[in-house]
Amino acid sequence: MDNTVKNHKLLLRAALFLVVLAIAVYHLQGIFAYDDLYTYEDRTVFETEKRGRLDGVYIGGSDVFSYWQPLFGWRDHGIAIENWCANSMRAVAVQYFIEEARKRQPDALFILNLNTFKAQKTRGLAPENIHRAVDYWPLSLNAIRLIHAMCERSDITGLDRLEFYLPIIRFHSGWDQLDAYAFGTLDENYRTSFHGSSFMSGVKDISDHYAIYDKPKPVSDDMRSIFGDLLDYCGENNLKVLFVKVPQALDANHQGYLLTLQQMAEERGYPCLDLFDQIDALGMDLRQQWLNDDHTNIHGSLTVSKAIGDYLVEHYGFEDKRGLPAWADWDASADAYMEIVKQYTLPLERDHAKRIITDIPVLNEPEVSGQSLRLSWKYDDQADGFIICRRCNSGDDMDWYEVGEAGAQAREWLDDDLARRKRYTYTVVPYVALEGETVYGAFDARGITAKTEENIG
């Protein structure tokens, strides 16, 4: 009798140990995972959103992070559309991402980034591509199916697949990378709006290799099958779906693949918002509004997010929820996000002022005299005047402001009474009057920086 009781206690302890171990491993698999902070943050925020609350879910790869900012959509239109993405997402994963998103937002509009399908490589995926897609997910039948589908296309079999179910197997040595984010503590909630430092401050000129090609190219049989299965899935489940094609510096082949897939979607009744050839209409500057060939920076994102938001409001009639008590958390998140954005963008950008493509004023090194800075520039294009914008590089006042205006013939401007030993960054924006409206030209997004001296005398 005593031995039976003792055995029962041992079994109970063993069972409790296994339960505790399973819980611990389940949590650790989200900590010891692929080192991808923004994918982790994106999914964590998305999964904390109230069920059935979102107007839409935007699904795709890393380009979604840079082209669509949910809090720009909220600020401009009062629409609630969050991202559910993964860096380097592969085409086969999209259907599973929709399925996972439907668990929390079943009636949402599913916005699918068509550019995610531009890569024709659907097999031989690297392990990191799989980890980016599946890490940080709660273990579910859908997650298991995604792991299986991606491993099948990568010839990963047997015990080699175990690391995708339990990432700790591969990343168990990552103790030195643990921080507050690893334990689920997000200091700031930006509703999946991107806030990386390079995205905010980086600039790349892609004008020398951005071109538009209008000839469809045949896609691979496997891609046609994956995309066709996706369209079937959307139709069988009566999903509201919008494809979006964002402007990137793509060659003729990749643009041709996207055109073919766009035709497939449209033939099945799914609309596609094609922003690829709307660069001029949107007033986008290929010299200043991109981070690299595949991603806009914060300047380009302001423009593209506005264009997508305008389309969504026009075609789907979403309610403007700004200022409603039930949405106060979104209002607060938008305010917090804009506090960051104001440090990197000009007021005219944030106000979506009308833009045209002009020469960029060439800024000279400012002349420093005590607490005064004399800014000068070269400009040979037409202008009716210039707006001078400034930000302080430290302290409480780091936002970009319009601080002055110069006439059409002016090529310099004096800024005096500044703080001592402070660094200031300036940029100059030309403007013209067209049909009674002020239209702004191109400007140097990086600006030029100088530091004041100690006051003399």
Side-chain angles (χ1 to χ4, degrees):
M1 185 70 173
D2 290 341
N3 286 337
T4 302
V5 172
K6 186 179 292 186
N7 288 338
H8 285 169
K9 288 183 177 179
L10 287 173
L11 287 173
L12 181 60
R13 288 175 181 173
L16 288 173
F17 172 76
L18 290 175
V19 170
V20 172
L21 179 63
I23 293 172
V25 170
Y26 177 77
H27 184 62
L28 287 173
Q29 74 172 347
I31 297 174
F32 292 97
Y34 194 85
D35 186 15
D36 191 343
L37 172 61
Y38 295 111
T39 298
Y40 162 73
E41 190 175 67
D42 181 74
R43 296 182 188 179
T44 301
V45 171
F46 178 81
E47 289 174 358
T48 59
E49 183 56 74
K50 295 177 183 178
R51 292 182 182 274
R53 191 185 198 205
L54 297 180
D55 295 313
V57 180
Y58 201 152
I59 294 174
S62 62
D63 37 11
V64 173
F65 290 133
S66 68
Y67 284 85
W68 170 256
Q69 306 311 318
L71 293 175
F72 288 164
W74 182 263
R75 174 178 176 264
D76 293 333
H77 300 291
I79 56 179
I81 297 174
E82 286 187 355
N83 298 329
W84 176 243
C85 311
N87 284 320
S88 303
M89 182 183 283
R90 292 299 186 258
V92 68
V94 173
Q95 179 177 321
Y96 299 92
F97 270 67
I98 298 174
E99 181 69 19
E100 198 68 20
R102 288 177 63 203
K103 295 177 183 179
R104 301 194 64 84
Q105 308 296 335
D107 300 320
L109 169 68
F110 292 96
I111 306 168
L112 307 183
N113 200 58
L114 191 65
N115 302 56
T116 302
F117 300 88
K118 66 178 180 286
Q120 291 297 286
K121 183 177 181 180
T122 57
R123 297 188 177 274
L125 306 179
E128 53 265 30
N129 292 139
I130 303 176
H131 277 291
R132 285 187 175 117
V134 303
D135 288 2
Y136 313 120
W137 275 35
L139 192 60
S140 65
L141 182 58
N142 184 48
I144 292 171
R145 288 171 176 162
L146 171 58
I147 293 170
H148 175 77
M150 298 193 80
C151 287
E152 279 289 299
R153 284 177 164 75
S154 305
D155 297 323
I156 300 173
T157 60
L159 293 178
D160 289 340
R161 293 188 179 187
L162 196 57
E163 70 171 78
F164 304 109
Y165 297 99
L166 298 171
I168 191 173
I169 293 173
R170 182 180 181 93
F171 303 109
H172 62 275
S173 60
W175 291 99
D176 59 334
Q177 298 178 13
L178 298 187
D179 55 21
Y181 285 95
F183 295 95
T185 303
L186 297 178
D187 296 330
E188 298 162 315
N189 183 348
Y190 295 129
R191 306 285 169 182
T192 72
S193 294
F194 200 45
H195 50 95
S197 59
S198 61
F199 167 70
M200 292 290 183
S201 59
V203 176
K204 180 181 178 180
D205 182 347
I206 66 168
S207 60
D208 63 341
H209 55 285
Y210 185 94
I212 297 175
Y213 304 95
D214 57 4
K215 294 183 178 180
K217 299 281 186 178
V219 299
S220 67
D221 290 342
D222 202 28
M223 176 61 76
R224 183 174 289 275
S225 175
I226 291 172
F227 198 73
D229 288 346
L230 171 64
L231 297 178
D232 289 342
Y233 169 84
C234 293
E236 291 164 2
N237 291 280
N238 297 312
L239 302 183
K240 294 182 295 183
V241 175
L242 168 68
F243 287 92
V244 175
K245 186 166 68 172
V246 294
Q248 297 176 322
L250 303 180
D251 60 26
N253 284 331
H254 286 97
Q255 289 190 46
Y257 302 146
L258 292 182
L259 283 170
T260 298
L261 296 173
Q262 180 177 342
Q263 290 173 358
M264 287 179 62
E266 291 175 341
E267 287 170 0
R268 298 281 289 273
Y270 295 107
C272 179
L273 171 58
D274 187 353
L275 297 176
F276 217 98
D277 59 356
Q278 294 190 33
I279 297 297
D280 291 338
L282 296 174
M284 295 193 73
D285 192 337
L286 294 166
R287 301 163 298 177
Q288 296 287 308
Q289 291 188 302
W290 266 260
L291 177 62
N292 52 45
D293 287 356
D294 291 328
H295 304 85
T296 58
N297 55 24
I298 186 64
H299 306 281
S301 186
L302 271 165
T303 303
V304 174
S305 294
K306 177 65 162 54
I308 295 173
D310 288 347
Y311 181 92
L312 293 173
V313 169
E314 179 182 353
H315 290 83
Y316 295 93
F318 294 130
E319 176 190 4
D320 184 346
K321 295 172 284 294
R322 290 173 293 184
L324 298 178
W327 293 87
D329 53 339
W330 273 74
D331 285 331
S333 292
D335 290 343
Y337 187 58
M338 291 309 298
E339 287 303 309
I340 293 180
V341 172
K342 286 191 292 187
Q343 297 178 26
Y344 297 93
T345 61
L346 306 188
L348 65 94
E349 297 179 272
R350 303 192 294 270
D351 294 339
H352 302 297
K354 189 171 182 179
R355 307 273 295 278
I356 57 172
I357 303 303
T358 65
D359 289 347
I360 299 173
V362 178
L363 305 174
N364 300 317
E365 193 73 26
E367 297 178 13
V368 182
S369 178
Q371 292 173 246
S372 297
L373 295 173
R374 185 175 295 277
L375 184 66
S376 62
W377 59 93
K378 298 176 183 177
Y379 189 72
D380 297 323
D381 210 342
Q382 178 185 357
D384 291 328
F386 300 89
I387 296 294
I388 316 300
C389 295
R390 181 190 73 200
R391 72 180 294 266
C392 184
N393 292 21
S394 61
D396 297 329
D397 190 15
M398 296 175 63
D399 299 344
W400 278 102
Y401 290 106
E402 295 179 7
V403 293
E405 186 172 345
Q409 304 306 314
R411 295 296 181 270
E412 65 176 34
W413 188 79
L414 178 66
D415 200 8
D416 53 11
D417 249 355
L418 299 168
R420 293 180 297 171
R421 301 182 65 182
K422 281 279 191 179
R423 296 179 67 83
Y424 293 92
T425 300
Y426 297 85
T427 196
V428 175
V429 187
Y431 68 85
V432 295
L434 293 178
E435 299 178 351
E437 184 179 9
T438 299
V439 180
Y440 295 92
F443 61 91
D444 186 338
R446 291 190 182 92
I448 195 162
T449 301
K451 183 179 180 180
T452 57
E453 302 169 335
E454 287 284 359
N455 194 24
I456 300 174

